[in-house]
Amino acid sequence: MDHNFFQMDGSCVSHWRAIMDHLMTHDKTTFRDLMTRVAVAQSSSLSLFTNRDAELEQRAMLLKRLAFAIFSSEIDQYQKFLPDIQERLVDSLRLPQVPTLHSQVFLFFRVLLLRMSPQHLTSLWPTMITELVQVFLLMEQELTADEDITRTSGPSVAGLETTYTGGNGFSTSYNSQRWLNLYLSACKFLDLALALPSDNLPQFQMYRWAFIPEASDDSGLEVRRQGTHQREFKPYVVRLAKLLRKRAKKNPEEDCSGRILDWDPGHLLLTISTIRSMEQLLPFFNVLSQVFNSKVTSRCVGDSGSPVLYQNSYPNKDIKLENQKMFSSKARQKIEEMLERDFLEGVLKS
């Protein structure tokens, strides 16, 4: 597969998926060869005389090709390879501070949600949840550090790249485009997990409380228990929405709080291919922090991020049940079309 393979027109992707499926189905060794290439790329140590970024880019591209081959297949067609696939993904995640590679892992996760039956992904869910939490913690760390810098140095430095130096000696800028791509990829994974019917992802239902406020969830209200003053756990989307709203107020040119996303059960919220700043994710976090809380019957998110009431905007029923009813073959087709677009590179996504 040529390294420019994904720089194609969007109308060609479905045809290439059919070609890829035909090739992998009728030549039994092709998929195994691709798996072997990924394994070899990951097992080879970084040479002193090779470019680290170039080698990591190659690893990411091989992982992306493998994900596209599985995306082009039928449900559970490669289920017997899943233990080896999981090993490749875990090996990729062991490399620290590699947002380009980790972005492809989240793309791979989304492919697996659509191409593997739920019972086959049970052992992979702890890895997927752990990585999602790690990315959200990085986002929270970057936003909190930026807030601290602004508080001490004034609003003129807000939004500048926040740089950390890890124990490996590499300097990391969590505000660079590569990290922004990782943040978007992780958010798209959460978006897909929430869009799919709950019976399709039974394992995820045990973890979703950590990310979104459930029905009758107070989302971090202070309580007194046995004479001690405690604070309940706040879901990640609530925490990130709050931090992003603060940041947006200090950066009016990047303020996306006025943009409203319509929440429709069974459909994706995030349809953008790239972001220039974390503030562009604010509408996404605003919706998720409000719409799943049934204390307000009908909600939409206004400019300030607070809920705005509309009659009959959302049904006063259980969200999970409504999600299952609204999910149809047409909704799944739209989800797959969005995933197709995310494989493309460059400007040819029309």
Side-chain angles (χ1 to χ4, degrees):
M1 192 183 294
D2 188 84
H3 67 280
N4 293 322
F5 174 78
F6 293 108
Q7 297 180 11
M8 68 176 84
D9 189 90
S11 60
C12 301
V13 183
S14 58
H15 302 292
W16 276 109
R17 284 177 58 189
I19 295 171
M20 180 73 71
D21 184 36
H22 182 82
L23 174 64
M24 295 291 178
T25 302
H26 291 84
D27 187 351
K28 302 297 184 181
T29 62
T30 307
F31 188 80
R32 290 183 180 275
D33 291 343
L34 184 56
M35 288 278 293
T36 302
R37 290 187 63 191
V38 175
V40 170
Q42 291 178 338
S43 61
S44 60
S45 59
L46 292 173
S47 171
L48 181 64
F49 302 101
T50 59
N51 185 290
R52 180 178 186 269
D53 289 339
E55 186 163 346
L56 292 174
E57 288 283 354
Q58 182 186 12
R59 294 187 187 187
M61 180 54 65
L62 286 171
L63 208 60
K64 186 175 184 178
R65 293 171 183 175
L66 183 60
F68 186 76
I70 297 175
F71 182 55
S72 304
S73 68
E74 300 296 327
I75 303 295
D76 289 336
Q77 181 174 335
Y78 297 113
Q79 180 269 325
K80 64 179 180 180
F81 294 100
L82 196 53
D84 292 331
I85 293 171
Q86 182 172 345
E87 184 179 350
R88 307 292 184 272
L89 294 174
V90 171
D91 287 342
S92 298
L93 292 170
R94 285 198 181 105
L95 290 171
Q97 312 294 343
V98 191
T100 302
L101 185 58
H102 292 184
S103 296
Q104 297 306 322
V105 172
F106 275 106
L107 179 65
F108 212 128
F109 286 161
R110 292 160 62 197
V111 169
L112 293 177
L113 293 188
L114 295 175
R115 287 296 178 268
M116 296 292 172
S117 299
Q119 65 271 21
H120 300 315
L121 295 177
T122 302
S123 62
L124 190 58
W125 271 109
T127 300
M128 293 191 287
I129 295 299
T130 299
E131 292 310 310
L132 187 58
V133 168
Q134 289 299 319
V135 172
F136 283 168
L137 286 175
L138 279 176
M139 294 176 66
E140 190 173 29
Q141 178 185 6
E142 200 277 322
L143 288 169
T144 304
D146 190 41
E147 184 179 1
D148 292 341
I149 293 173
T150 303
R151 188 181 300 116
T152 57
S153 303
S156 59
V157 299
L160 293 180
E161 292 191 353
T162 308
T163 303
Y164 306 90
T165 302
N168 55 8
F170 292 109
S171 180
T172 302
S173 175
Y174 291 139
N175 227 4
S176 68
Q177 188 58 50
R178 291 183 178 183
W179 286 98
L180 291 174
N181 292 340
L182 174 59
Y183 301 154
L184 178 61
S185 187
C187 289
K188 285 190 172 186
F189 172 73
L190 177 61
D191 192 17
L192 176 60
L194 294 172
L196 293 174
S198 57
D199 56 350
N200 283 23
L201 302 177
Q203 296 88 355
F204 175 68
Q205 309 314 311
M206 298 185 293
Y207 302 103
R208 56 182 284 159
W209 61 269
F211 303 102
I212 60 171
E214 298 286 1
S216 302
D217 183 8
D218 289 330
S219 299
L221 293 179
E222 292 184 357
V223 294
R224 292 188 179 273
R225 294 176 180 171
Q226 299 178 352
T228 60
H229 194 59
Q230 300 181 6
R231 179 175 291 274
E232 294 181 356
F233 173 80
K234 285 187 178 180
Y236 285 102
V237 298
V238 176
R239 289 150 56 176
L240 289 171
K242 181 179 179 180
L243 289 171
L244 283 169
R245 283 195 291 269
K246 289 182 179 179
R247 188 176 190 180
K249 290 179 181 178
K250 299 170 184 175
N251 297 275
E253 66 279 1
E254 297 288 347
D255 191 355
C256 298
S257 60
R259 183 179 171 222
I260 299 175
L261 293 179
D262 294 325
W263 181 78
D264 190 8
H267 293 76
L268 299 176
L269 286 168
L270 288 173
T271 58
I272 53 179
S273 301
T274 185
I275 55 174
R276 302 181 311 275
S277 66
M278 270 201 285
E279 285 88 332
Q280 288 182 261
L281 294 172
L282 176 56
F284 172 71
F285 287 114
N286 273 340
V287 171
L288 293 187
S289 63
Q290 302 291 345
V291 76
F292 285 93
N293 193 334
S294 64
K295 286 188 173 183
V296 177
T297 302
S298 303
R299 296 188 180 216
C300 189
V301 179
D303 292 357
S304 64
S306 58
V308 180
L309 301 185
Y310 293 96
Q311 280 193 337
N312 300 324
S313 295
Y314 297 106
N316 187 16
K317 297 179 181 179
D318 182 75
I319 295 297
K320 297 179 183 178
L321 178 62
E322 192 66 20
N323 197 351
Q324 296 172 16
K325 289 181 178 179
M326 295 295 292
F327 193 78
S328 62
S329 58
K330 186 175 181 180
R332 187 180 183 92
Q333 181 182 354
K334 287 186 177 181
I335 287 175
E336 299 217 355
E337 288 174 357
M338 284 304 306
L339 193 51
E340 279 185 356
R341 288 184 56 193
D342 287 339
F343 274 101
L344 299 182
E345 300 170 353
V347 295
L348 303 177
K349 295 191 178 186
S350 57

